[in-house]
Amino acid sequence: MFADVIVDIAHSDTDKIFEYSFEDSRIVAGSRVLVPFGKKTLEGIVVGVKEFPVLEKEKIKPVIALLEETPAFSEETLALSKYVADTCYVSRALSFRLFLPSEMRKGKVREQFVSYASLKDDENLDEILSSLNKTAYRQKDVILYLCDNGKTSLSVLNEKFGVSAVKSLREKGYLSVTEEKRLRSPYKDLGDTDKTVALTGAQINAVNSVRNTDKDVTLIFGVTGSGKTEIYLRLISDAIKENKTAIMLVPEIALTPQMLRQLRSRFGEKAAILHSGLSAGERYDEWWRLRTGEAKIAIGARSAIFAPLENLGVVIIDEEHDGSYISESAPRYDTIDIALYRAKYNHAKVILGSATPSVGSYLKAMNGEYNLVELPERINKKPLPDIEIVDMRREIRRGNNSPFSSALVSEIKECLAKKNQAIIFLNQRGYSKTVICTECGHVQKCSNCDVSLTYHKEDDSLLCHYCGAKYKMITACTECGSRFIKYGGVGTERVVAELNKIFPEARILRMDRDTTQTKEGHFKILSSFAAREGDILVGTQMVAKGHDFPYVTLVGILDADMSLHFSDYRSSERTFSLITQVSGRSGRADMPGKVVLQTYSPDNVVLHQAIRYDYKGFYEREISIRKATAFPPFTDIVRVLIQSSDDELAIEATKAIYGELQRIYQNYKQNFKFFGCMKAPLKKLQGKFRYQVLMRIDVNRSDIIDDVFYTVNKYNKGNVTVYLEVNSNNLN
Ligand code: ADP
Ligand code: ZN
Ligand code: ZN
């Protein structure tokens, strides 16, 4: 037989199918194999098998080995990988990588086996014992131990009785040794939720609406604390009862443990978790549990949409509006698109849940394309927390230069006095956002990127948050030599330091990228806060979403303007949803919640809509602006990004590309709402100069976008990289 194989090389010019011969009947479409490739041996994926090759048989080399008996890809995931390659403009080899735990490639991680020993014949114990040398006490101990305890792992026996005793017994043939697969499973001590609740009327309606709709997608628009999770669990249960499988996505790795806990309490070992924070071995084992059907529910952040499940019944995307669902590096996929593909293939349902749906999703619900379910009230009609706007300009005028308004300080004081908990949110890690010379005004910048450096006090360094470069903290201005250096903009480290000064007794936890690098790092901080080992949790957007802490009665939003003044067309949407999300952490149980929102633009319309929880008002205004200005969801934003470490080359390529794209622009002028060429907002990143051709094109014109891609892709060579982004989450 012959196999069509795509070899694991990411270059686009090797996105070709190669033929190999094989005899092993276990090789099927979807198998991973080792094949000879030039002088090398490489891994590849079989995309098809056939009796008659295209090449002459004599020229075809044989497959070297089958890597795993169970094919890594199913018919569906193989087809989906093709869809990703086509729609995200990447090679098949690159698209395959989305589907496999990265360490599985190149055999960096394998199954783990444990050897167990047991007595071959425990009936004739006396005989065995008397046959042993009188002084062989240790061997006798092993025999007696196994007699009492039964099957025991060899490593335990070796440890207890010494290697030589165990070895002699094995040589004498008294022990039988078996190998068993050992599963490395993450989050062993999650505990149970054991809360089975009776659904409220609103929840029952939501579940029934999903069961009865003939639409593929249901948007569950439910305020924070309206009990969406319980609805998800019922829908997953429906799928499991029908012997189908489910994918449950949350926007942050930080949220996966609590979801896993709920799923494990309800579905036991049927739930498996997939995310990049797991150890290589854990991820490998969880992945195979899903692939072999032993586990039926995959939970994770974005990338778990590629879980190796067959026969999907439901895909749930919680906080569907969240930017993290759009991948920012190749393959640049949108998770909802992938979910739709998988749902179509399996006749499964897609559930999008949010307290602040993206305007695009809400528009689809309004148009009748999605089934819409609304949950306008919290469980038990608990009120949403009051949000108080604090004008930080006035605080400054009053001489308060601290990051906290006096209103927030007194709220924290009251919260601590009542032994409740507070969450303080700001979207900036580090100590200060920038360091500035007070003499000449120079701001320290990254030498690879056109961005200012953030001061991290913990290791006294300046860090570039774009490329990761780390510099020593300066003692004098690098421009003028002045020693007067000022910190600009507050980060989480600084907030903790200042809070410690004001509330020396308070126990403060910090959660941001820097404190969650260790294994299960998010989980440790969150469990500690849940166990009330902390009074205040300070953090970036990781603390904003999804968490359900009953004792949190206060939320402080330090800089609500952070996203408001970005030039991005989505800044209002982001601000609205962020405020709603963070506020939603407050007052979820019996005690009423409070939110203090600090801002330098207290009159901003969006802020006022947010504090009234007026999503519909926000939506109406926003959608009419988008329509009038021809922005998504009414157009697709297509950006061709041209980068090179050589500025001249980048400019040259940009000019040529712009020139060629003019032809397409002229052809389809009526479908273009914008067409322009300029420096990228981030002019330099990781040592590369950046230019862009920006387009806004009518929706559903993938033919034009394809044309753009094939026109510009040939410039992607040598020292110039060119790539295409469609509705990217980040237009830096
Ligand atoms: P959301 O995801 O909509 O923000 P959650 O699913 O976290 O809300 O639910 C909010 C709280 O209400 C949780 O503590 C949850 O345990 C509780 N809850 C959910 N459904 C019910 C119910 N039917 N009866 C009682 N409590 C419930
Ligand atoms: Zn200076
Ligand atoms: Zn940098």
Side-chain angles (χ1 to χ4, degrees):
M1 292 286 281
F2 298 88
D4 284 333
V5 174
I6 288 177
V7 180
D8 186 14
I9 304 177
H11 310 311
S12 55
D13 53 342
T14 54
D15 197 15
K16 236 172 71 178
I17 291 176
F18 295 92
E19 293 178 309
Y20 293 91
S21 62
F22 68 93
E23 253 139 52
D24 190 338
S25 62
R26 296 170 305 172
I27 293 180
V28 294
S31 296
R32 288 196 328 130
V33 289
L34 279 182
V35 291
F37 192 78
K39 285 182 185 143
K40 291 189 203 153
T41 298
L42 294 177
E43 291 178 0
I45 310 287
V46 177
V47 294
V49 295
K50 57 197 180 184
E51 248 176 279
F52 305 103
V54 178
L55 284 178
E56 288 165 44
K57 283 186 183 164
E58 297 70 44
K59 290 189 178 161
I60 299 179
K61 291 182 187 161
V63 166
I64 294 172
L66 171 65
L67 284 166
E68 299 101 7
E69 194 152 335
T70 309
F73 286 81
S74 64
E75 201 178 291
E76 183 212 346
T77 51
L78 214 47
L80 177 57
S81 73
K82 174 97 173 54
Y83 171 78
V84 170
D86 292 345
T87 56
C88 302
Y89 306 104
V90 293
S91 67
R92 293 277 316 262
L94 196 58
S95 80
F96 284 147
R97 294 184 187 179
L98 293 169
F99 293 81
L100 304 172
S102 56
E103 302 84 357
M104 189 159 130
R105 295 170 46 234
K106 307 220 173 97
K108 281 188 206 129
V109 38
R110 294 189 192 290
E111 290 167 50
Q112 215 177 51
F113 288 94
V114 181
S115 306
Y116 288 93
S118 52
L119 285 180
K120 244 185 208 155
D121 181 6
D122 51 8
E123 309 257 287
N124 302 314
L125 197 64
D126 291 341
E127 236 170 78
I128 299 173
L129 288 173
S130 56
S131 79
L132 293 172
N133 199 322
K134 285 217 162 47
T135 55
Y137 302 110
R138 296 229 156 173
Q139 295 184 33
K140 286 179 185 163
D141 288 345
V142 175
I143 300 284
L144 290 172
Y145 183 88
L146 284 176
C147 189
D148 289 343
N149 295 285
K151 192 173 80 179
T152 306
S153 86
L154 268 185
S155 56
V156 169
L157 290 180
N158 287 336
E159 168 102 22
K160 274 190 187 311
F161 307 103
V163 178
S164 66
V166 178
K167 195 166 158 227
S168 340
L169 286 174
R170 282 182 77 177
E171 282 164 4
K172 288 176 189 145
Y174 290 138
L175 306 186
S176 70
V177 175
T178 51
E179 296 239 298
E180 283 179 25
K181 195 167 155 181
R182 190 182 84 93
L183 282 178
R184 291 153 286 194
S185 72
Y187 302 109
K188 288 204 182 67
D189 342 303
L190 271 179
D192 259 357
T193 52
D194 62 53
K195 235 188 347 186
T196 27
V197 293
L199 293 192
T200 63
Q203 286 170 321
I204 292 171
N205 285 342
V207 171
N208 284 337
S209 172
V210 174
R211 284 178 182 157
N212 299 331
T213 180
D214 52 4
K215 290 176 183 157
D216 296 343
V217 184
T218 295
L219 174 64
I220 301 182
F221 167 36
V223 298
T224 58
S226 57
K228 295 187 284 296
T229 316
E230 203 53 47
I231 299 170
Y232 302 155
L233 294 175
R234 291 300 155 115
L235 296 171
I236 293 172
S237 173
D238 278 1
I240 300 296
K241 277 184 200 143
E242 289 176 43
N243 212 12
K244 293 183 174 175
T245 63
I247 296 178
M248 173 77 235
L249 302 182
V250 291
E252 282 269 349
I253 290 179
L255 292 168
T256 55
Q258 77 177 55
M259 192 56 85
L260 179 63
R261 177 169 56 223
Q262 310 222 39
L263 290 170
R264 268 200 198 145
S265 315
R266 196 118 356 151
F267 306 104
E269 293 306 310
K270 285 201 185 76
I273 187 165
L274 288 177
H275 66 67
S276 58
L278 305 181
S279 76
E282 289 169 348
R283 200 159 19 166
Y284 182 88
D285 288 351
E286 289 288 85
W287 192 90
W288 277 108
R289 288 205 312 124
L290 291 162
R291 179 65 189 109
T292 55
E294 189 188 320
K296 295 187 179 303
I297 307 161
I299 83 155
R302 177 176 74 214
S303 61
I305 192 65
F306 297 105
L309 284 165
E310 291 186 62
N311 199 14
L312 269 175
V314 66
V315 180
I316 299 167
I317 304 184
D318 191 25
E319 315 287 9
E320 64 87 27
H321 62 277
D322 199 273
S324 70
Y325 287 120
I326 295 172
S327 161
E328 281 185 26
S329 56
R332 296 181 172 74
Y333 63 90
D334 179 341
T335 309
I336 295 180
D337 283 346
I338 308 292
L340 290 176
Y341 181 98
R342 298 200 74 171
K344 273 243 146 52
Y345 192 99
N346 292 287
H347 306 289
K349 304 213 150 158
V350 175
I351 312 298
L352 307 176
S354 180
T356 54
S358 75
V359 292
S361 294
Y362 200 74
L363 176 68
K364 289 200 168 108
M366 292 290 104
N367 288 345
E369 196 176 322
Y370 292 171
N371 175 37
L372 177 66
V373 173
E374 295 191 51
L375 300 150
E377 284 178 341
R378 277 187 162 182
I379 288 286
N380 300 331
K381 300 204 183 334
K382 249 165 272 167
L384 287 159
D386 260 341
I387 311 181
E388 178 189 346
I389 291 188
V390 174
D391 182 355
M392 289 307 276
R393 297 170 311 184
R394 261 173 67 189
E395 294 288 320
I396 289 176
R397 264 184 258 131
R398 285 194 203 141
N400 175 8
N401 290 313
S402 99
F404 317 109
S405 59
S406 44
L408 182 54
V409 171
S410 65
E411 288 290 346
I412 296 176
K413 206 174 276 168
E414 197 184 318
C415 174
L416 294 177
K418 288 185 179 156
K419 302 264 177 265
N420 288 331
Q421 292 177 299
I423 292 180
I424 305 293
F425 164 80
L426 83 164
N427 223 351
Q428 178 66 52
R429 65 193 169 101
Y431 188 81
S432 76
K433 190 174 160 59
T434 54
V435 290
I436 310 158
C437 167
T438 52
E439 296 276 319
C440 75
H442 178 69
V443 176
Q444 291 298 314
K445 282 194 165 182
C446 177
S447 54
N448 308 322
C449 312
D450 183 35
V451 296
S452 56
L453 294 170
T454 302
Y455 176 49
H456 286 249
K457 197 164 193 169
E458 246 155 48
D459 48 5
D460 200 33
S461 66
L462 290 169
L463 208 67
C464 173
H465 285 188
Y466 285 81
C467 74
K470 198 169 182 173
Y471 305 80
K472 263 215 182 88
M473 176 57 179
I474 48 165
T475 48
C477 174
T478 51
E479 277 302 293
C480 73
S482 156
R483 297 195 167 266
F484 296 100
I485 307 288
K486 174 175 97 172
Y487 301 122
V490 180
T492 46
E493 277 184 10
R494 169 109 183 253
V495 168
V496 172
E498 304 275 338
L499 281 173
N500 269 324
K501 280 188 218 157
I502 311 175
F503 303 104
E505 296 89 43
R507 297 162 303 167
I508 303 173
L509 299 170
R510 188 180 110 219
M511 187 158 95
D512 54 29
R513 182 123 52 99
D514 301 311
T515 60
T516 52
Q517 289 302 315
T518 56
K519 186 164 132 50
E520 299 183 4
H522 301 98
F523 175 55
K524 284 174 193 151
I525 299 171
L526 293 170
S527 333
S528 166
F529 192 59
R532 301 175 76 191
E533 291 159 14
D535 304 306
I536 306 176
L537 175 65
V538 174
T540 53
Q541 55 178 357
M542 285 177 192
V543 304
K545 305 165 193 169
H547 308 290
D548 191 29
F549 299 114
Y551 288 94
V552 171
T553 54
L554 175 66
V555 162
I557 304 175
L558 291 196
D559 190 354
D561 306 341
M562 201 85 98
S563 58
L564 206 52
H565 302 297
F566 279 150
S567 52
D568 197 299
Y569 71 96
R570 279 158 304 196
S571 57
S572 298
E573 187 173 7
R574 283 188 183 144
T575 304
F576 186 90
S577 77
L578 199 58
I579 292 172
T580 311
Q581 288 301 328
V582 198
S583 304
R585 302 313 112 218
S586 182
R588 290 172 75 87
D590 306 328
M591 295 151 293
K594 166 93 195 186
V595 179
V596 175
L597 185 156
Q598 301 187 166
T599 174
Y600 292 90
S601 3
D603 302 323
N604 184 283
V605 182
V606 177
L607 296 189
H608 283 270
Q609 286 164 335
I611 69 167
R612 292 197 311 268
Y613 299 100
D614 181 14
Y615 175 81
K616 285 181 185 163
F618 161 77
Y619 167 80
E620 293 298 340
R621 179 170 177 270
E622 186 65 20
I623 203 81
S624 68
I625 295 173
R626 301 279 182 94
K627 191 162 198 175
T629 52
F631 270 92
F634 300 99
T635 53
D636 284 324
I637 297 193
V638 180
R639 169 161 91 150
V640 177
L641 203 64
I642 301 111
Q643 304 190 108
S644 175
S645 53
D646 182 332
D647 200 13
E648 295 288 313
L649 282 181
I651 292 172
E652 215 172 276
T654 304
K655 277 185 186 152
I657 285 171
Y658 185 58
E660 275 210 55
L661 288 179
Q662 287 282 352
R663 174 186 57 80
I664 300 177
Y665 173 61
Q666 294 302 336
N667 278 350
Y668 298 100
K669 219 167 182 168
Q670 70 286 0
N671 298 114
F672 275 75
K673 299 296 176 274
F674 180 83
F675 180 66
C677 181
M678 64 213 77
K679 278 187 176 173
L682 207 66
K683 296 182 200 71
K684 195 177 162 205
L685 182 67
Q686 291 181 314
K688 297 200 170 111
F689 297 91
R690 308 167 86 234
Y691 297 85
Q692 64 186 23
V693 181
L694 207 56
M695 291 154 266
R696 292 207 305 276
I697 301 174
D698 285 343
V699 288
N700 297 325
R701 293 308 304 259
S702 56
D703 57 325
I704 305 181
I705 302 175
D706 284 352
D707 204 351
V708 169
F709 173 75
Y710 292 108
T711 305
V712 305
N713 190 42
K714 55 181 179 287
Y715 291 92
N716 192 6
K717 60 176 182 216
N719 195 3
V720 178
T721 52
V722 177
Y723 58 86
L724 186 78
E725 295 174 330
V726 183
N727 296 331
S728 157
N729 199 26
N730 176 348
L731 288 170
N732 279 338

